[in-house]
C-alpha cells in the first residue's frame, strides 16, 4: 500500500459519454490497485510461512526496481539529477515506507491472519488525520474527531475480539503489536511525504525501491539470506508480491489520480480491508463476528473522518454533469 499523489485533471471538457468512460476507467484502476494491495496481505501471509520477512522485502523490491525505473522513465521522464538532490527525503521515505512498513507487516503476518492485519491497517487513515493535526497543523473538525473515535472503537473491537475486558487482562498479541507498529510507521511515511519536495510518484517509488535494496541487502546477508524460494508455491507468491502490489498497484493508482482527486481516491483504500475479507472468506478461512463488526465500525469511522473531503468532490462532479 502507498499514498501517492499526482496532478489531477478533470475531463470536464470532453463529451458526457467520454467523461463517464474516463471516470469508470479511473474507478476500475482504483479497484484494481486496492485489490492487488489486499492480495499483498493474503499472499504475504502464505509467503512468510516459507520466506523470512527480511528476504521477502528485499526480494520484492529487487524484482520491482528495474520495471519501476523503466516505467518512470517512459511515463514521467524525470530529471534524475534533480530527483537525487532530494536524497535525504527519499532515504527517509524508503526507511519508513518500503522498508519499515512492509517488514512490520510481514512480521505481523507470521503471528496473525491477513484479515486481522488488514482490519488494524484500516485505522491508518484516521491515525494520519490525527498526525496531520499535530505535525502539519491541519484543523480537526467535529467530523474528524468523531470519525477517529469511531474508527478507534472498531480497532479495539478487533484487537479484543469483542471482549474489552480480555484486552485489559491479556494485552495485545505479538502480531497485533507488529501491525500497530506498521500503521504508526506508515503514518510517519505519509507525513514525511507531505513535507518532502514534489517528486513524480512512480519515480519516487523507483528510487525508494533502489534504496531499500541497498539498505537491506547487507542486513539480509548478515542474517544468512536472502532465502530465494525453490518450491513452486512460495516462488509464485514472491513473484505476485513483486509484480502486482509493487508495480501494477502504483501504476493503476497514479493513473486514477489524473482523473479523481487524491482526497476522494483515498477513501478507496478502505477497500483493501473489504477485499481482504472477501478473499479470506472465499479461501475458506473463518472470520469471527468481532472481526466483521469491528471492520464495519472502522471503515465507517474513516468515512466520517473524510466526509469533508468527499463533499467538494461530489459537488464538483454535479457541477460538471450539469454543464
Amino acid at each position: 500500500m502507498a499514498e501517492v499523489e499526482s496532478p489531477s485533471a478533470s475531463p470536464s471538457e470532453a463529451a458526457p459519454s467520454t467523461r463517464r468512460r474516463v471516470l469508470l476507467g479511473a474507478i476500475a484502476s482504483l479497484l484494481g490497485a486496492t485489490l492487488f494491495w489486499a492480495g499483498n496481505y493474503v499472499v504475504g501471509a502464505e509467503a512468510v510461512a516459507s520466506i523470512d520477512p527480511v528476504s521477502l522485502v528485499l526480494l520484492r523490491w529487487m524484482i520491482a526496481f528495474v520495471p519501476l525505473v523503466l516505467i518512470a522513465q517512459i511515463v514521467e521522464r524525470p530529471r534524475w539529477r534533480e530527483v537525487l538532490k532530494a536524497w535525504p527525503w527519499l532515504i527517509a521515505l524508503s526507511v519508513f515506507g518500503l522498508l519499515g512498513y512492509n517488514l512490520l507487516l510481514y512480521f505481523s503476518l507470521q503471528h496473525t491472519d491477513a484479515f486481522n492485519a488488514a482490519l488494524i491497517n484500516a485505522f491508518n487513515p484516521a491515525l494520519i488525520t490525527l498526525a496531520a493535526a499535530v505535525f502539519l497543523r491541519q484543523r480537526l473538525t467535529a467530523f474528524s474527531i468523531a470519525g477517529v473515535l469511531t474508527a478507534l472503537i472498531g480497532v479495539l473491537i478487533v484487537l479484543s475480539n469483542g471482549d474489552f475486558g480480555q484486552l485489559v487482562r491479556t494485552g495485545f498479541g505479538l502480531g497485533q503489536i507488529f501491525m500497530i507498529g506498521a500503521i504508526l510507521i506508515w503514518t510517519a511515511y505519509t507525513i514525511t511525504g507531505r513535507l518532502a519536495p514534489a517528486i513524480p510518484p512512480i519515480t519516487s517509488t523507483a528510487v525508494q525501491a533502489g534504496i531499500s535494496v541497498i539498505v537491506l541487502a547487507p542486513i539480509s546477508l548478515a542474517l544468512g539470506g536472502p532465502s530465494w524460494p525453490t518450491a513452486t508455491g512460495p516462488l509464485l507468491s514472491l513473484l505476485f508480491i513483486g509484480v502486482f502490489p509493487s508495480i501494477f498497484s502504483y501504476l493503476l493508482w497514479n493513473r486514477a489520480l489524473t482523473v479523481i482527486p487524491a482526497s476522494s481516491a483515498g477513501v478507496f483504500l478502505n477497500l483493501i480491508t473489504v477485499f481482504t475479507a472477501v478473499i479470506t472468506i472465499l479461501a475458506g478461512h473463518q472470520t469471527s463476528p468481532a472481526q466483521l463488526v469491528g471492520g464495519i465500525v472502522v471503515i465507517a469511522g474513516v468515512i466520517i473522518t473524510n466526509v469533508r473531503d468527499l463533499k467538494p468532490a461530489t459537488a464538483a462532479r454535479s457541477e460538471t454533469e450539469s454543464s
Side-chain angles (χ1 to χ4, degrees):
M1 179 189 72
E3 179 167 313
V4 284
E5 297 186 9
S6 61
S8 56
S10 173
S12 57
E13 296 180 2
S17 60
T18 303
R19 291 203 302 269
R20 281 194 296 271
R21 188 163 58 250
V22 170
L23 182 59
L24 288 174
I27 292 172
S29 295
L30 291 175
L31 293 174
T34 51
L35 177 60
F36 293 148
W37 276 324
N40 185 41
Y41 284 82
V42 178
V43 178
E46 299 294 330
V48 294
S50 53
I51 310 172
D52 67 276
V54 174
S55 294
L56 183 55
V57 175
L58 173 60
L59 295 173
R60 170 183 180 173
W61 296 119
M62 283 178 62
I63 292 169
F65 173 64
V66 172
L68 283 171
V69 170
L70 293 175
I71 294 166
Q73 184 61 38
I74 294 169
V75 175
E76 297 174 339
R77 298 188 178 278
R79 296 179 178 179
W80 291 104
R81 289 186 180 179
E82 295 296 319
V83 170
L84 295 177
K85 286 181 181 178
W87 63 267
W89 292 99
L90 291 166
I91 290 175
L93 288 168
S94 177
V95 170
F96 285 137
L98 274 63
L99 281 176
Y101 174 81
N102 285 291
L103 282 171
L104 289 171
L105 168 61
Y106 294 138
F107 277 120
S108 173
L109 292 174
Q110 288 184 316
H111 303 280
T112 191
D113 62 80
F115 186 31
N116 208 48
L119 287 171
I120 298 171
N121 188 73
F123 180 62
N124 215 163
L127 186 61
I128 290 169
T129 298
L130 282 178
V134 173
F135 296 104
L136 304 180
R137 298 293 187 265
Q138 292 185 4
R139 189 170 65 90
L140 278 177
T141 65
F143 275 114
S144 298
I145 295 170
V148 168
L149 292 176
T150 302
L152 179 59
I153 291 171
V155 169
L156 291 175
I157 292 172
V158 173
L159 293 175
S160 66
N161 199 28
D163 182 356
F164 293 123
Q166 179 183 350
L167 187 62
V168 174
R169 292 189 299 272
T170 63
F172 301 133
L174 189 57
Q176 295 171 336
I177 292 173
F178 278 128
M179 200 60 219
I180 292 170
I183 65 173
L184 287 171
I185 204 165
W186 186 264
T187 300
Y189 172 82
T190 303
I191 299 301
T192 303
R194 292 180 181 178
L195 294 171
I199 301 172
I202 301 173
T203 301
S204 178
T205 304
V207 176
Q208 290 174 52
I211 293 170
S212 298
V213 171
I214 293 170
V215 170
L216 208 52
I219 297 173
S220 179
L221 289 172
L223 295 173
S227 56
W228 186 273
T230 54
T232 302
L235 181 58
L236 290 176
S237 295
L238 173 61
L239 292 175
F240 174 89
I241 291 170
V243 173
F244 289 94
S246 304
I247 299 174
F248 286 137
S249 283
Y250 289 96
L251 296 179
L252 291 170
W253 186 263
N254 286 290
R255 176 182 181 273
L257 290 186
T258 63
V259 178
I260 296 176
S263 58
S264 299
V267 178
F268 279 76
L269 291 173
N270 297 302
L271 290 175
I272 295 174
T273 303
V274 176
F275 284 142
T276 303
V278 171
I279 296 170
T280 300
I281 293 169
L282 291 177
H285 298 289
Q286 292 185 341
T287 56
S288 68
Q291 286 180 318
L292 296 175
V293 172
I296 292 170
V297 174
V298 170
I299 292 174
V302 172
I303 292 173
I304 293 170
T305 304
N306 290 279
V307 70
R308 186 182 61 175
D309 291 329
L310 292 174
K311 285 181 178 179
T314 304
R317 283 197 299 271
S318 299
E319 186 177 318
T320 299
E321 289 168 1
S322 63
S323 61

